[in-house]
Tab-separated table of all heavy atoms in Angstrom:
chain	number	residue	atom	x	y	z
A	229	GLY	N	81.349	267.297	-44.104
A	229	GLY	CA	81.729	267.741	-45.428
A	229	GLY	C	81.741	266.623	-46.446
A	229	GLY	O	81.901	266.874	-47.652
A	230	GLU	N	81.580	265.376	-46.023
A	230	GLU	CA	81.657	264.246	-46.927
A	230	GLU	C	80.294	263.782	-47.432
A	230	GLU	O	80.166	263.203	-48.488
A	230	GLU	CB	82.347	263.086	-46.200
A	230	GLU	CG	82.702	261.939	-47.107
A	230	GLU	CD	83.406	260.819	-46.352
A	230	GLU	OE1	82.971	260.482	-45.213
A	230	GLU	OE2	84.369	260.263	-46.878
A	231	GLY	N	79.254	264.025	-46.623
A	231	GLY	CA	77.928	263.556	-46.987
A	231	GLY	C	77.545	262.310	-46.208
A	231	GLY	O	78.381	261.659	-45.571
A	232	PRO	N	76.267	261.921	-46.247
A	232	PRO	CA	75.788	260.771	-45.495
A	232	PRO	C	76.087	259.455	-46.198
A	232	PRO	O	76.406	259.420	-47.390
A	232	PRO	CB	74.291	261.016	-45.426
A	232	PRO	CG	73.999	261.715	-46.717
A	232	PRO	CD	75.172	262.612	-46.954
A	233	ALA	N	75.924	258.367	-45.463
A	233	ALA	CA	76.115	257.033	-46.034
A	233	ALA	C	74.993	256.640	-46.987
A	233	ALA	O	75.194	255.828	-47.872
A	233	ALA	CB	76.224	256.000	-44.901
A	234	ALA	N	73.806	257.222	-46.800
A	234	ALA	CA	72.647	256.849	-47.619
A	234	ALA	C	71.705	258.019	-47.754
A	234	ALA	O	71.563	258.832	-46.823
A	234	ALA	CB	71.916	255.651	-47.051
A	235	VAL	N	71.074	258.098	-48.918
A	235	VAL	CA	70.037	259.111	-49.178
A	235	VAL	C	68.846	258.385	-49.780
A	235	VAL	O	69.007	257.504	-50.634
A	235	VAL	CB	70.543	260.195	-50.152
A	235	VAL	CG1	69.415	261.189	-50.470
A	235	VAL	CG2	71.741	260.940	-49.562
A	236	ILE	N	67.650	258.776	-49.344
A	236	ILE	CA	66.410	258.257	-49.940
A	236	ILE	C	65.683	259.407	-50.616
A	236	ILE	O	65.353	260.404	-49.963
A	236	ILE	CB	65.509	257.615	-48.862
A	236	ILE	CG1	66.198	256.405	-48.226
A	236	ILE	CG2	64.174	257.193	-49.476
A	236	ILE	CD1	65.453	255.826	-47.060
A	237	GLU	N	65.443	259.268	-51.921
A	237	GLU	CA	64.680	260.259	-52.654
A	237	GLU	C	63.218	259.870	-52.629
A	237	GLU	O	62.836	258.825	-53.110
A	237	GLU	CB	65.181	260.317	-54.092
A	237	GLU	CG	64.836	261.621	-54.828
A	237	GLU	CD	63.366	261.816	-55.100
A	237	GLU	OE1	62.672	260.819	-55.397
A	237	GLU	OE2	62.873	262.961	-55.038
A	238	ALA	N	62.370	260.731	-52.053
A	238	ALA	CA	60.957	260.391	-51.862
A	238	ALA	C	60.050	261.492	-52.352
A	238	ALA	O	58.921	261.636	-51.840
A	238	ALA	CB	60.681	260.085	-50.383
A	239	THR	N	60.520	262.286	-53.326
A	239	THR	CA	59.638	263.317	-53.885
A	239	THR	C	59.058	262.916	-55.238
A	239	THR	O	58.050	263.446	-55.680
A	239	THR	CB	60.406	264.647	-54.077
A	239	THR	OG1	61.367	264.497	-55.138
A	239	THR	CG2	61.106	265.049	-52.813
A	240	GLY	N	59.730	262.013	-55.950
A	240	GLY	CA	59.293	261.622	-57.288
A	240	GLY	C	59.483	262.746	-58.287
A	240	GLY	O	58.678	262.915	-59.219
A	241	ARG	N	60.562	263.512	-58.151
A	241	ARG	CA	60.887	264.565	-59.085
A	241	ARG	C	62.308	264.337	-59.627
A	241	ARG	O	63.226	263.955	-58.895
A	241	ARG	CB	60.856	265.963	-58.378
A	241	ARG	CG	59.452	266.317	-57.866
A	241	ARG	CD	59.494	267.626	-57.121
A	241	ARG	NE	58.184	267.979	-56.572
A	241	ARG	CZ	57.276	268.656	-57.221
A	241	ARG	NH1	57.524	269.109	-58.473
A	241	ARG	NH2	56.110	268.951	-56.680
A	242	ALA	N	62.478	264.592	-60.920
A	242	ALA	CA	63.767	264.337	-61.555
A	242	ALA	C	64.892	265.122	-60.888
A	242	ALA	O	66.012	264.597	-60.694
A	242	ALA	CB	63.681	264.682	-63.034
A	243	GLU	N	64.611	266.381	-60.503
A	243	GLU	CA	65.642	267.173	-59.832
A	243	GLU	C	66.034	266.599	-58.485
A	243	GLU	O	67.157	266.714	-58.041
A	243	GLU	CB	65.206	268.629	-59.689
A	243	GLU	CG	63.917	268.834	-58.914
A	243	GLU	CD	62.685	268.903	-59.789
A	243	GLU	OE1	62.673	268.256	-60.845
A	243	GLU	OE2	61.722	269.589	-59.376
A	244	GLY	N	65.063	265.924	-57.828
A	244	GLY	CA	65.376	265.237	-56.584
A	244	GLY	C	66.278	264.043	-56.790
A	244	GLY	O	67.211	263.799	-55.987
A	245	TRP	N	66.040	263.274	-57.839
A	245	TRP	CA	66.914	262.132	-58.162
A	245	TRP	C	68.359	262.636	-58.359
A	245	TRP	O	69.313	262.047	-57.831
A	245	TRP	CB	66.419	261.449	-59.431
A	245	TRP	CG	65.277	260.536	-59.237
A	245	TRP	CD1	64.175	260.732	-58.433
A	245	TRP	CD2	65.071	259.267	-59.891
A	245	TRP	NE1	63.288	259.695	-58.555
A	245	TRP	CE2	63.822	258.774	-59.428
A	245	TRP	CE3	65.808	258.536	-60.783
A	245	TRP	CZ2	63.314	257.547	-59.848
A	245	TRP	CZ3	65.319	257.299	-61.229
A	245	TRP	CH2	64.097	256.814	-60.749
A	246	GLN	N	68.513	263.682	-59.145
A	246	GLN	CA	69.857	264.175	-59.431
A	246	GLN	C	70.534	264.734	-58.186
A	246	GLN	O	71.717	264.515	-57.957
A	246	GLN	CB	69.783	265.238	-60.536
A	246	GLN	CG	69.350	264.679	-61.870
A	246	GLN	CD	69.208	265.727	-62.933
A	246	GLN	OE1	68.900	265.439	-64.069
A	246	GLN	NE2	69.426	266.974	-62.606
A	247	ALA	N	69.781	265.448	-57.368
A	247	ALA	CA	70.351	266.030	-56.156
A	247	ALA	C	70.790	264.951	-55.181
A	247	ALA	O	71.881	265.026	-54.597
A	247	ALA	CB	69.337	266.971	-55.490
A	248	ALA	N	69.965	263.931	-54.995
A	248	ALA	CA	70.284	262.869	-54.015
A	248	ALA	C	71.620	262.190	-54.368
A	248	ALA	O	72.394	261.839	-53.474
A	248	ALA	CB	69.155	261.840	-53.984
A	249	ALA	N	71.883	262.037	-55.656
A	249	ALA	CA	73.133	261.374	-56.053
A	249	ALA	C	74.346	262.252	-55.759
A	249	ALA	O	75.465	261.734	-55.672
A	249	ALA	CB	73.072	261.042	-57.554
A	250	GLN	N	74.133	263.566	-55.621
A	250	GLN	CA	75.257	264.449	-55.290
A	250	GLN	C	75.492	264.552	-53.784
A	250	GLN	O	76.608	264.869	-53.377
A	250	GLN	CB	74.975	265.856	-55.851
A	250	GLN	CG	74.989	265.914	-57.377
A	250	GLN	CD	76.324	265.494	-57.946
A	250	GLN	OE1	77.384	265.933	-57.492
A	250	GLN	NE2	76.300	264.644	-58.975
A	251	TRP	N	74.501	264.285	-52.988
A	251	TRP	CA	74.653	264.466	-51.549
A	251	TRP	C	75.456	263.354	-50.873
A	251	TRP	O	76.166	263.585	-49.921
A	251	TRP	CB	73.279	264.491	-50.878
A	251	TRP	CG	72.389	265.611	-51.270
A	251	TRP	CD1	72.694	266.674	-52.080
A	251	TRP	CD2	71.012	265.783	-50.903
A	251	TRP	NE1	71.615	267.477	-52.216
A	251	TRP	CE2	70.556	266.983	-51.523
A	251	TRP	CE3	70.115	265.042	-50.138
A	251	TRP	CZ2	69.258	267.449	-51.351
A	251	TRP	CZ3	68.833	265.522	-49.968
A	251	TRP	CH2	68.407	266.701	-50.581
A	252	VAL	N	75.278	262.109	-51.352
A	252	VAL	CA	75.788	260.966	-50.647
A	252	VAL	C	77.333	260.931	-50.665
A	252	VAL	O	77.984	261.453	-51.573
A	252	VAL	CB	75.209	259.665	-51.279
A	252	VAL	CG1	75.857	259.380	-52.637
A	252	VAL	CG2	75.345	258.475	-50.337
A	253	ARG	N	77.921	260.328	-49.647
A	253	ARG	CA	79.394	260.266	-49.547
A	253	ARG	C	79.938	259.238	-50.531
A	253	ARG	O	79.184	258.384	-51.038
A	253	ARG	CB	79.795	259.890	-48.119
A	253	ARG	CG	79.593	258.432	-47.768
A	253	ARG	CD	79.877	258.173	-46.316
A	253	ARG	NE	79.821	256.729	-46.022
A	253	ARG	CZ	79.749	256.228	-44.787
A	253	ARG	NH1	79.744	257.045	-43.748
A	253	ARG	NH2	79.726	254.919	-44.594
A	254	PRO	N	81.234	259.276	-50.835
A	254	PRO	CA	81.829	258.236	-51.665
A	254	PRO	C	81.594	256.860	-51.058
A	254	PRO	O	81.728	256.647	-49.858
A	254	PRO	CB	83.305	258.592	-51.648
A	254	PRO	CG	83.349	260.074	-51.444
A	254	PRO	CD	82.215	260.365	-50.516
A	255	GLY	N	81.197	255.916	-51.920
A	255	GLY	CA	80.869	254.592	-51.442
A	255	GLY	C	79.480	254.464	-50.853
A	255	GLY	O	79.092	253.392	-50.396
A	256	GLY	N	78.697	255.558	-50.921
A	256	GLY	CA	77.334	255.549	-50.346
A	256	GLY	C	76.320	254.999	-51.309
A	256	GLY	O	76.594	254.654	-52.447
A	257	ARG	N	75.073	254.947	-50.809
A	257	ARG	CA	73.988	254.362	-51.576
A	257	ARG	C	72.822	255.345	-51.638
A	257	ARG	O	72.524	256.035	-50.665
A	257	ARG	CB	73.500	253.038	-50.974
A	257	ARG	CG	74.607	252.106	-50.570
A	257	ARG	CD	74.076	250.731	-50.171
A	257	ARG	NE	73.956	249.870	-51.359
A	257	ARG	CZ	73.328	248.710	-51.370
A	257	ARG	NH1	72.695	248.287	-50.296
A	257	ARG	NH2	73.308	247.977	-52.457
A	258	VAL	N	72.168	255.407	-52.799
A	258	VAL	CA	71.031	256.295	-53.015
A	258	VAL	C	69.838	255.433	-53.421
A	258	VAL	O	69.909	254.713	-54.425
A	258	VAL	CB	71.337	257.333	-54.118
A	258	VAL	CG1	70.115	258.244	-54.317
A	258	VAL	CG2	72.573	258.144	-53.757
A	259	LEU	N	68.772	255.528	-52.662
A	259	LEU	CA	67.525	254.810	-52.982
A	259	LEU	C	66.618	255.780	-53.708
A	259	LEU	O	66.112	256.732	-53.123
A	259	LEU	CB	66.862	254.275	-51.725
A	259	LEU	CG	65.533	253.517	-51.930
A	259	LEU	CD1	65.766	252.250	-52.748
A	259	LEU	CD2	64.879	253.195	-50.589
A	260	LEU	N	66.423	255.537	-54.978
A	260	LEU	CA	65.531	256.378	-55.809
A	260	LEU	C	64.134	255.819	-55.707
A	260	LEU	O	63.658	255.065	-56.561
A	260	LEU	CB	66.051	256.391	-57.255
A	260	LEU	CG	67.501	256.890	-57.396
A	260	LEU	CD1	68.056	256.627	-58.766
A	260	LEU	CD2	67.581	258.368	-57.022
A	261	PHE	N	63.442	256.218	-54.664
A	261	PHE	CA	62.148	255.608	-54.310
A	261	PHE	C	60.993	256.270	-55.034
A	261	PHE	O	60.043	255.612	-55.438
A	261	PHE	CB	61.929	255.679	-52.795
A	261	PHE	CG	60.797	254.819	-52.328
A	261	PHE	CD1	61.002	253.501	-51.969
A	261	PHE	CD2	59.493	255.323	-52.293
A	261	PHE	CE1	59.939	252.705	-51.566
A	261	PHE	CE2	58.449	254.547	-51.880
A	261	PHE	CZ	58.665	253.214	-51.516
A	262	GLY	N	61.025	257.604	-55.136
A	262	GLY	CA	59.898	258.309	-55.738
A	262	GLY	C	59.857	258.083	-57.240
A	262	GLY	O	60.774	258.430	-57.959
A	263	GLY	N	58.769	257.509	-57.736
A	263	GLY	CA	58.668	257.171	-59.156
A	263	GLY	C	58.490	258.407	-60.034
A	263	GLY	O	57.883	259.397	-59.622
A	264	LEU	N	59.011	258.318	-61.256
A	264	LEU	CA	58.889	259.358	-62.249
A	264	LEU	C	57.967	258.908	-63.376
A	264	LEU	O	57.770	257.716	-63.574
A	264	LEU	CB	60.244	259.746	-62.811
A	264	LEU	CG	61.315	260.156	-61.808
A	264	LEU	CD1	62.620	260.497	-62.533
A	264	LEU	CD2	60.854	261.358	-60.988
A	265	ALA	N	57.451	259.873	-64.139
A	265	ALA	CA	56.589	259.551	-65.251
A	265	ALA	C	57.343	258.774	-66.323
A	265	ALA	O	58.557	258.982	-66.517
A	265	ALA	CB	55.990	260.826	-65.831
Side-chain angles (χ1 to χ4, degrees):
E230 190 179 43
V235 177
I236 297 173
E237 201 292 324
T239 69
R241 298 177 181 272
E243 58 267 30
W245 281 41
Q246 293 178 177
Q250 293 299 314
W251 297 353
V252 72
R253 76 186 186 194
R257 314 189 89 192
V258 180
L259 179 65
L260 301 169
F261 192 91
L264 304 179

